[in-house]
């Protein structure tokens, strides 16, 4: 569901996308497989620690909180800047590389190499916006070549990236309106001049700074994937506010979390004081934001749109069979899982853990972690949540592979593991509750929904989406000695299935009964409510659920992740197709 501010950005963009310039940080390249500044910092710490202490630490182990704490304590003892210090990035480069720019450059070449780039949907959209002239101007603090590669791959053309070694040319190109204009404020790692140390970043190159100031007087700005840690950049954005016509089409700062850095909040407030339409927008991800903006562009060239959605665009041409020869073409309830998570955390605990213990932790965790038990206890979830729910019993968490063939007898515990993680991912930021059973997971409409408009697509076909059954009480049993009023809500059953080497999600609309042991006494109600849901009605309800869970687009894959933050061994992501599968009996 769109927040009001994100909806406002889409309205501005849809009306005239050329009125907005872009400012891209490392987060805009993260989905292309490249590291952010934080990733580079931890990699530098790992290398320094290994060399100083003569110990080996695998790169993936740096994702584990105990390992990070050990390394950070060592760095603190050696006089390095404290964790999350504003100048942490630049000071680490200074302490480790000194003034050796060439060593810096070689390090960045290795970390940001072109062969590591795998363009995501968001990157391809940015390439299409520039190639299609929907975006005229973009600035970045990045050294990498993600944008150049995206323009070449999607638009079939090259884009000149102005940087420190062509600052005068950049100023001339911008003044002459040689659009699209793309500028790397901190340089390009392929050249000698990069700005990566504290003294370098104290001030911006005057020619490049003038380009940004001029852009700030002509365009609105969308900031994506940038935290605001660079003082010189933030000072430059404040300088725009001192001009006569700052950000005439708005300033939209996008971020994943709800708590931006104070410097970002200060900039937004200062902009508002200058009567600039300025907002901080919480977005699901860079890819999601770019996908929504691209969908809002009208009359897109078909070839450009096809390259943006290259992963799934195909011409569907299913020939009709002659009458009486084969059975009808049937729509199924299954959508294809294009990619499953491949890693999770393996927990080492100070006592044996059995299934009753796992179930107790899962109840208390309320879907803050996902657990299963195979040869080890396997988990997804933030480290702090695992530490909290295992109450001092967790010794360490190591990365392990997750078997993709969960249908094999020895891997059956992973089926429910995947299903619960997927259900939580699909329910994120939606008024849906997640419940699991041994055979499937369920997404249930929250009866206390604040925004009824979200559920409107489903309500169109089922009218009411939740309610109570007056006069009906749950049965009394040994486990449930007190009767309860029975209530209901629309839900969808989610189960995974593997056929012919592919994984499918089966989606079956249903009705949930509270409490669950009252389902038998609610059988008459269920029969009446679901009795007429055949053919066209069932098709409409399934479409409504797909819209609620995956959005409106029909031609792109969708990526969903279980928890907020970075995707990794502790936070799984699933890539799903949007179109359900079709089936018919083969001709004999």
């Amino acid at each position: 569901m769109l927040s009001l501010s994100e909806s406002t950005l889409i309205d501005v963009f849809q009306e005239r996308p050329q009125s907005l310039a872009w400012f891209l940080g490392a987060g805009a390249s993260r989905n292309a497989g490249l590291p952010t500044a934080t990733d580079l910092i931890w990699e530098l710490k790992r290398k320094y620690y290994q060399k100083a202490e003569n110990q080996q630490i695998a790169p993936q182990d740096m994702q584990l909180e105990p390992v990070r704490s050990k390394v950070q304590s060592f760095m603190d003892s050696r006089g390095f800047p404290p964790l999350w210090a504003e100048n942490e990035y630049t000071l680490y480069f200074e302490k480790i590389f000194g003034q050796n720019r060439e060593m810096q450059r070689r390090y960045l070449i290795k970390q940001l190499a072109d062969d590591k780039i795998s363009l995501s949907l968001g990157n391809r959209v940015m390439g299409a916006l520039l190639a299609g002239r929907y975006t005229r101007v973009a600035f970045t603090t990045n050294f990498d070549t993600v944008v150049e590669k995206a323009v070449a791959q999607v638009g079939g053309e090259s884009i000149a990236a102005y940087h420190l070694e062509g600052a005068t040319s950049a100023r001339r190109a911008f003044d002459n309106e040689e659009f699209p204009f793309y500028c790397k404020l901190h340089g390009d790692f392929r050249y000698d001049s990069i700005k990566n140390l504290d003294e370098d970043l104290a001030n911006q190159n005057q020619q490049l700074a003038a380009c940004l100031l001029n852009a700030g007087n002509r365009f609105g700005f969308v900031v994506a994937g940038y935290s605001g840690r660079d003082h010189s950049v933030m000072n430059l954005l404040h300088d725009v506010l001192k001009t006569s016509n700052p950000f005439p089409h708005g300033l939209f700062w996008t971020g994943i979390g709800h708590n931006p850095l104070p410097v970002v909040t200060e900039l937004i407030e200062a902009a508002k004081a200058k009567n600039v339409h300025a907002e901080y927008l919480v977005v699901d991800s860079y890819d999601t934001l770019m996908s929504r903006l691209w969908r809002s562009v009208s009359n897109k060239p078909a070839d450009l749109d096809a390259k943006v959605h290259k992963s799934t665009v195909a011409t569907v041409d299913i020939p009709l069979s002659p009458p009486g020869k084969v059975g009808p073409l049937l729509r199924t309830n299954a959508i294809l899982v294009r990619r499953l998570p491949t890693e999770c955390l393996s927990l080492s605990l100070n006592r044996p853990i059995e299934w009753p213990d796992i179930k107790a932790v899962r109840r208390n965790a309320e879907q803050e972690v996902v657990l299963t038990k195979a040869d080890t206890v396997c988990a997804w979830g933030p480290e702090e949540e695992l530490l909290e729910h295992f109450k001092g019993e967790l010794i360490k968490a190591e990365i392990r592979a997750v078997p993709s063939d969960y249908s094999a007898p020895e891997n059956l515990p992973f089926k429910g593991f995947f299903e619960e993680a997927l259900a939580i991912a699909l329910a994120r930021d939606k008024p849906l509750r997640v419940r699991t059973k041994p055979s499937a997971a369920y997404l249930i409409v929250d009866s206390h929904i604040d925004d009824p408009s979200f559920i409107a697509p489903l309500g169109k076909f089922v009218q009411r989406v939740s309610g109570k059954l007056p006069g009906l009480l749950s049965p009394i049993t040994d486990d449930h000695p007190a009767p309860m009023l029975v209530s209901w809500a629309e839900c969808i059953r989610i189960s995974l299935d593997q056929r012919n080497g592919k994984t499918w999600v089966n989606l079956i609309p249903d009705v949930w009964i509270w409490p669950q042991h009252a389902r038998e006494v609610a059988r008459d109600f269920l029969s009446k409510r679901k009795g007429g849901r055949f053919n066209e009605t069932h098709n409409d309800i399934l479409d409504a659920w797909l819209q609620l869970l995956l959005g409106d687009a029909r031609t792109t894959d969708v990526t969903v992740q279980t928890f907020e933050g970075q995707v990794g061994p502790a936070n799984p992501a699933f890539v799903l197709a949007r179109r359900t599968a079709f089936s018919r009996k083969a001709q004999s």
Side-chain angles (χ1 to χ4, degrees):
M1 192 181 338
L2 299 182
S3 65
L4 175 61
S5 54
E6 188 173 345
S7 176
T8 302
L9 170 58
I10 290 177
D11 289 342
V12 173
F13 185 87
Q14 187 173 27
E15 183 177 343
R16 191 164 182 261
Q18 294 89 346
S19 68
L20 295 172
W22 286 79
F23 192 97
L24 305 175
S29 297
R30 182 63 187 271
N31 285 1
L34 296 183
T36 64
T38 300
D39 297 326
L40 292 177
I41 291 171
W42 281 111
E43 176 62 11
L44 288 173
K45 292 176 183 178
R46 183 184 74 87
K47 287 183 173 294
Y48 187 92
Y49 179 86
Q50 285 188 149
K51 183 177 179 180
E53 292 293 278
N54 194 29
Q55 292 188 26
Q56 189 73 21
I57 298 178
Q60 62 266 27
D61 288 346
M62 290 302 296
Q63 300 292 329
L64 305 176
E65 188 58 38
V67 176
R68 286 192 173 194
S69 296
K70 179 176 70 173
V71 173
Q72 185 62 46
S73 296
F74 173 81
M75 305 307 285
D76 292 342
S77 70
R78 292 295 181 97
F80 281 82
L83 185 64
W84 306 124
E86 289 189 0
N87 59 348
E88 186 181 21
Y89 175 82
T90 57
L91 288 181
Y92 266 95
F93 268 86
E94 287 175 2
K95 282 185 172 288
I96 290 175
F97 295 108
Q99 298 300 312
N100 192 329
R101 263 65 171 181
E102 179 58 25
M103 190 179 295
Q104 275 192 77
R105 194 172 69 86
R106 288 200 304 267
Y107 175 76
L108 290 172
I109 286 174
K110 182 178 180 181
Q111 296 296 321
L112 305 177
D114 280 3
D115 59 7
K116 292 186 176 182
I117 296 175
S118 177
L119 298 178
S120 70
L121 174 61
N123 304 137
R124 295 196 299 274
V125 170
M126 178 54 66
L129 293 178
L130 289 166
R133 307 307 191 263
Y134 298 103
T135 289
R136 296 181 177 183
V137 176
F139 292 87
T140 185
T141 55
N142 299 340
F143 303 124
D144 59 60
T145 58
V146 169
V147 170
E148 295 98 307
K149 192 168 184 177
V151 172
Q153 190 176 108
V154 177
E157 60 184 65
S158 62
I159 185 169
Y162 294 101
H163 49 83
L164 295 173
E165 296 200 0
T168 302
S169 299
R171 177 70 179 275
R172 187 183 306 115
F174 188 88
D175 290 344
N176 292 335
E177 297 189 354
E178 296 176 11
F179 299 139
F181 176 87
Y182 178 49
C183 178
K184 294 181 175 181
L185 293 172
H186 290 174
D188 189 317
F189 67 80
R190 295 169 297 181
Y191 299 91
D192 292 335
S193 299
I194 57 174
K195 299 179 71 171
N196 211 33
L197 302 182
D198 223 13
E199 63 184 63
D200 300 329
L201 297 175
N203 297 289
Q204 287 294 333
N205 175 278
Q206 293 303 309
Q207 299 288 352
L208 302 185
C211 291
L212 192 143
L213 286 173
N214 289 345
N217 275 267
R218 293 184 56 180
F219 302 94
F221 263 57
V222 182
V223 182
Y226 181 61
S227 65
R229 292 185 182 277
D230 186 337
H231 288 302
S232 65
V233 169
M234 298 307 292
N235 290 338
L236 191 53
L237 294 174
H238 275 283
D239 287 343
V240 175
L241 297 178
K242 298 174 185 177
T243 62
S244 59
N245 189 37
F247 304 117
H249 298 282
L251 173 60
F252 304 94
W253 194 297
T254 68
I256 293 177
H258 288 267
N259 299 305
L261 291 177
V263 292
V264 175
T265 304
E266 291 168 9
L267 177 67
I268 297 297
E269 294 305 317
K272 290 180 177 178
K274 290 284 188 176
N275 295 319
V276 174
H277 180 191
E279 297 185 54
Y280 177 77
L281 287 61
V282 178
V283 298
D284 293 333
S285 67
Y286 177 66
D287 282 353
T288 302
L289 171 66
M290 299 305 288
S291 175
R292 288 170 175 166
L293 291 175
W294 183 246
R295 287 204 303 269
S296 73
V297 176
S298 58
N299 300 319
K300 296 184 285 284
D303 59 338
L304 208 60
D305 193 43
K307 289 181 181 178
V308 167
H309 300 309
K310 66 171 189 174
S311 57
T312 58
V313 169
T315 301
V316 178
D317 184 11
I318 304 175
L320 295 176
S321 302
K325 294 295 184 181
V326 296
L329 187 65
L330 301 176
R331 182 190 188 184
T332 72
N333 289 58
I335 57 175
L336 181 63
V337 181
R338 296 196 185 274
R339 188 165 69 240
L340 285 168
T342 58
E343 294 179 324
C344 70
L345 298 178
S346 175
L347 307 185
S348 296
L349 303 153
N350 60 15
R351 69 177 180 88
I353 296 291
E354 301 301 333
W355 270 109
D357 304 301
I358 296 290
K359 291 177 180 178
V361 173
R362 289 172 64 184
R363 282 195 300 271
N364 294 330
E366 297 181 342
Q367 284 133 26
E368 292 172 336
V369 299
V370 182
L371 301 170
T372 193
K373 187 176 185 302
D375 53 324
T376 66
V377 176
C378 299
W380 281 311
E383 289 280 336
E384 60 272 18
E385 297 295 344
L386 293 171
L387 291 169
E388 167 67 22
H389 293 296
F390 279 99
K391 305 295 183 184
E393 296 175 341
L394 180 59
I395 300 173
K396 64 178 179 178
E398 300 176 301
I399 298 173
R400 66 164 286 172
V402 182
S404 58
D405 180 17
Y406 58 76
S407 58
E410 67 274 15
N411 295 331
L412 288 180
F414 289 98
K415 180 177 184 293
F417 192 50
F418 279 123
E419 287 172 345
E420 183 177 4
L422 175 58
I424 295 172
L426 290 170
R428 271 188 63 214
D429 301 323
K430 303 180 183 73
L432 300 171
R433 299 185 182 186
V434 178
R435 294 293 183 268
T436 59
K437 292 184 177 183
S439 59
Y442 291 79
L443 297 180
I444 310 160
V445 174
D446 190 341
S447 59
H448 303 292
I449 184 172
D450 294 326
D451 183 6
S453 65
F454 170 81
I455 215 71
L458 180 61
K460 178 181 177 181
F461 301 108
V462 300
Q463 285 75 53
R464 297 173 63 200
V465 295
S466 64
K468 297 186 182 298
L469 300 181
L472 190 62
L473 298 176
S474 64
I476 297 174
T477 67
D478 291 340
D479 294 328
H480 306 92
M484 299 174 61
L485 286 173
V486 179
S487 59
W488 63 274
E490 291 291 327
C491 70
I492 191 161
R493 182 182 188 269
I494 294 176
S495 63
L496 292 171
D497 192 13
Q498 291 184 319
R499 299 292 175 92
N500 299 323
K502 295 183 178 180
T503 301
W504 303 86
V505 185
N506 293 315
L507 302 169
I508 302 177
D510 202 348
V511 177
W512 188 266
I513 296 294
W514 272 292
Q516 271 289 282
H517 72 282
R519 194 169 182 88
E520 183 65 30
V521 298
R523 186 170 296 279
D524 288 345
F525 164 78
L526 292 172
S527 296
K528 291 178 181 178
R529 182 153 188 88
K530 299 195 298 179
R533 296 184 179 182
F534 301 110
N535 300 331
E536 185 176 351
T537 300
H538 180 88
N539 187 70
D540 290 337
I541 293 174
L542 179 59
D543 275 341
W545 271 110
L546 289 171
Q547 181 180 344
L548 297 180
L549 298 179
L550 305 179
D552 294 325
R554 296 292 181 187
T555 59
T556 62
D557 293 344
V558 60
T559 301
V560 295
Q561 63 186 68
T562 304
F563 306 108
E564 288 189 6
Q566 176 185 339
V567 171
N571 187 8
F574 300 79
V575 180
L576 309 175
R578 292 181 185 266
R579 178 180 291 163
T580 57
F582 288 79
S583 175
R584 76 177 165 207
K585 185 177 179 180
Q587 185 173 2
S588 59

